[in-house]
Amino acid sequence: MTSLIEVPERDETNRSYTIGVVADRTGDFGSFEELAMPHFAKLYNFAHWLAQDRAAAEDLVQETYMKALRGFSSFQQGTNFRAWMYKILRNTFLTTKAGLKVSVSLDSDGDDKPAEPAVTETPESVLLARVEVETIQSALEKLPVKFREIILLCDLEEMSYQEIGQTLGIPIGTVMSRLSRARKAMRELLAANLQGAS
Amino acid sequence: MTCDPWRDKLDAYVDGDASQGEIAGMSEHLRTCPSCAADALSRLQMKRMTQAAAARYSPSPEFRQRMEKSIQKNVRSSTKPVWAFGWIPRLAVVAALVLMVASVFWTRHSAREQALAELLDLHVSTMASANPVDVISTDRHTVKPWFQGKLPFTFNLPELQNSPFKLVGGRVMYFKHTAGAQLLFNLRNHQMSVFILQDQPGVVPFESGVTATREMAFNSETWSEGGLRYVVIGDASPSDIRELSELLRAAARPG
């Protein structure tokens, strides 16, 4: 059966189900580089979105890799390597000066509420037709970190809800409701941006 | 037919996280409901546009090179001690390794080890950073006042004029969500970090008294003085680390 909407399958090559490699090479630090470096550019992009600063993002990535290298020998079989790396990066960010400011707002504030439908005065199709890349980037910058990070993990990194849950340390139900609220906030920001421009 | 149950599942459908049964049901619904089909299409477009817009920042080639070197260096230093024991008879090596592994197993998860490991990570990251310190000065009278208002404590720095050590600068660091000072010192080609933290029980889990440790070819020494915890970490020899520690201890003593 074909659908009117062709939802693309996730790019599985982007995923890091390489646990077998890790299990076979426990203690061989050479394999850390093989596993971790393919994520380098994306981790840097994620770090830059979190820290909003080039030097801070570099420090964040640097520290993440050093922590991951140290913890690699005790890396558990069955753990998702990519989610593990992102989790280290995010936890490292939360201990920085900028991260400490946002860590309070990461605590549950309505995450368990049922997801509400996103309603903006601008119809979705009209909104999208007028949105440019810069407008989306600006909206992402303005989003609270808890919304920005979940949108990045889902839409850019194409993580499954389960992977996102592992990275953020939250249940799948919370992933779904937070994602829904994040997208609603994003649409509202885009609509406000367009209204302000017109 | 009400669309509410379907709309609740649209995100999961678009994100590829719906079950096989939900996908089949949703596909059937979308064929008969233009409103939900338009909604699904909009969400998919938004997802694709976000994906394109969010791939915004790229690491510089210099940073990538620095990272690769840093990883290789740390991999090498972690294997160095094993090679260094090559001259010892095989049985002795095996016995030493068994003891070492047992010892590592016993202490790996202790809070003290973790704390030291975390500080070592900070030191290594700082060494590889393009901007290792926020205040750059060899003058202790410039570096110390820079921390005023940034930390909930103050500390003394030693006079280094007649010593082989050179102050590089410092920065505020965070350990267990608490602000502390990280100072960088040079000795010939070696670099050392001195971490100064509030010695809160449970937060900084070190024993009282002076403790010297060797970890991944880095040497460290830690002690408590006047309610502050000092941790010196670097790739210099244990005697050099001790000499710098002695200077810091002398500067911290009242009078």
Side-chain angles (χ1 to χ4, degrees):
Chain A
M1 183 192 298
T2 54
S3 167
L4 287 173
I5 309 299
E6 289 297 326
V7 177
E9 289 185 10
R10 281 202 190 90
D11 179 8
E12 293 296 328
T13 57
N14 189 33
R15 295 197 170 197
S16 51
Y17 296 120
T18 42
I19 308 309
V21 177
V22 177
D24 291 346
R25 299 180 180 188
T26 302
D28 175 9
F29 281 87
S31 61
F32 173 79
E33 207 172 342
E34 287 170 27
L35 283 172
M37 284 315 284
H39 299 287
F40 177 69
K42 289 204 159 195
L43 277 165
Y44 174 82
N45 183 53
F46 187 63
H48 203 146
W49 275 111
L50 289 184
Q52 306 265 296
D53 175 77
R54 184 191 61 79
E58 287 188 358
D59 287 351
L60 207 48
V61 172
Q62 179 77 36
E63 207 173 324
T64 298
Y65 272 79
M66 290 306 109
K67 283 181 178 171
L69 176 59
R70 173 173 297 280
F72 188 55
S73 57
S74 58
F75 183 77
Q76 295 290 312
Q77 189 175 3
T79 311
N80 182 302
F81 185 75
R82 179 167 66 149
W84 182 65
M85 290 292 289
Y86 275 82
K87 185 173 187 171
I88 294 173
L89 190 144
R90 180 177 179 269
N91 287 346
T92 305
F93 168 69
L94 292 177
T95 62
T96 64
K97 197 174 180 181
L100 284 171
K101 285 181 188 165
V102 304
S103 59
V104 177
S105 66
L106 287 173
D107 295 335
S108 178
D109 59 345
D111 272 340
D112 293 331
K113 287 180 195 167
E116 296 169 23
V119 179
T120 62
E121 289 183 7
T122 313
E124 196 83 353
S125 53
V126 176
L127 183 71
L128 290 172
R130 294 171 59 196
V131 162
E132 293 174 352
V133 167
E134 291 77 16
T135 321
I136 293 181
Q137 288 172 343
S138 167
L140 272 173
E141 279 172 1
K142 286 175 190 157
L143 276 180
V145 169
K146 67 186 284 186
F147 288 165
R148 192 189 313 147
E149 65 181 4
I150 202 165
I151 285 182
L152 290 171
L153 293 177
C154 184
D155 291 352
L156 178 65
E157 306 306 334
E158 294 191 293
M159 283 189 181
S160 67
Y161 291 170
Q162 190 181 5
E163 267 186 298
I164 295 172
Q166 285 171 3
T167 303
L168 302 182
I170 54 177
I172 287 180
T174 307
V175 170
M176 294 171 77
S177 56
R178 189 180 292 179
L179 192 55
S180 171
R181 293 171 65 229
R183 284 173 169 158
K184 180 175 179 252
M186 178 91 169
R187 279 190 280 266
E188 284 169 355
L189 274 171
L190 289 174
N193 192 304
L194 290 177
Q195 278 163 12
S198 59
Chain B
M1 180 194 290
T2 174
C3 291
D4 287 350
W6 295 111
R7 283 192 194 275
D8 289 346
K9 292 173 184 163
L10 269 180
D11 271 341
Y13 178 75
V14 168
D15 291 333
D17 242 277
S19 67
Q20 285 300 318
E22 285 171 339
I23 291 172
M26 181 67 80
S27 298
E28 185 59 40
H29 176 71
L30 294 181
R31 291 165 76 85
T32 57
C33 178
S35 169
C36 284
D39 194 353
L41 186 62
S42 296
R43 290 181 199 220
L44 192 58
Q45 282 177 321
M46 177 66 91
K47 187 179 172 75
R48 284 174 177 161
M49 289 171 78
T50 304
Q51 192 173 38
R56 184 183 193 182
Y57 305 109
S58 303
S60 66
E62 294 78 28
F63 177 48
R64 179 183 283 274
Q65 209 173 14
R66 234 169 39 234
M67 271 294 309
E68 284 169 348
K69 274 186 187 167
S70 178
I71 290 174
Q72 282 159 10
K73 187 182 169 191
N74 281 283
V75 168
R76 273 204 302 276
S77 57
S78 70
T79 54
K80 250 181 208 167
V82 178
W83 299 336
F85 288 118
W87 57 273
I88 302 175
R90 180 176 285 184
L91 195 63
V93 172
V94 171
L97 280 175
V98 168
L99 276 173
M100 221 165 73
V101 169
S103 156
V104 166
F105 249 90
W106 193 65
T107 54
R108 178 175 286 167
H109 298 296
S110 73
R112 188 190 149 278
E113 286 282 310
Q114 281 180 12
L116 203 55
E118 213 167 301
L119 292 173
L120 178 53
D121 286 339
L122 270 174
H123 170 68
V124 172
S125 305
T126 306
M127 292 304 98
S129 171
N131 310 294
V133 286
D134 293 331
V135 53
I136 306 170
S137 176
T138 56
D139 183 1
R140 61 179 176 152
H141 299 297
T142 302
V143 174
K144 184 188 162 184
W146 180 86
F147 284 96
Q148 276 176 11
K150 297 181 175 74
L151 297 175
F153 59 86
T154 185
F155 54 86
N156 286 334
L157 287 173
E159 175 57 67
L160 297 174
Q161 210 167 17
N162 297 318
S163 84
F165 301 99
K166 192 176 139 193
L167 179 62
V168 177
R171 67 175 193 139
V172 174
M173 48 75 73
Y174 290 87
F175 181 77
K176 309 283 182 200
H177 292 222
T178 307
Q182 182 179 8
L183 301 151
L184 283 193
F185 291 88
N186 270 351
L187 172 68
R188 299 179 294 275
N189 290 327
H190 300 289
Q191 290 164 317
M192 286 159 285
S193 283
V194 175
F195 297 99
I196 308 177
L197 311 154
Q198 281 179 289
D199 203 6
Q200 301 166 12
V203 176
V204 187
F206 292 104
E207 300 90 344
S208 57
V210 177
T211 310
T213 315
R214 184 173 170 81
E215 176 85 16
M216 286 176 76
F218 287 95
N219 292 301
S220 69
E221 188 159 322
T222 177
W223 70 96
S224 180
E225 181 96 43
L228 297 178
R229 168 60 56 178
Y230 294 75
V231 183
V232 182
I233 295 180
D235 60 351
S237 68
S239 60
D240 289 333
I241 296 280
R242 183 157 310 122
E243 193 181 340
L244 177 60
S245 303
E246 286 294 351
L247 287 168
L248 287 156
R249 278 195 283 273
R253 278 183 211 117

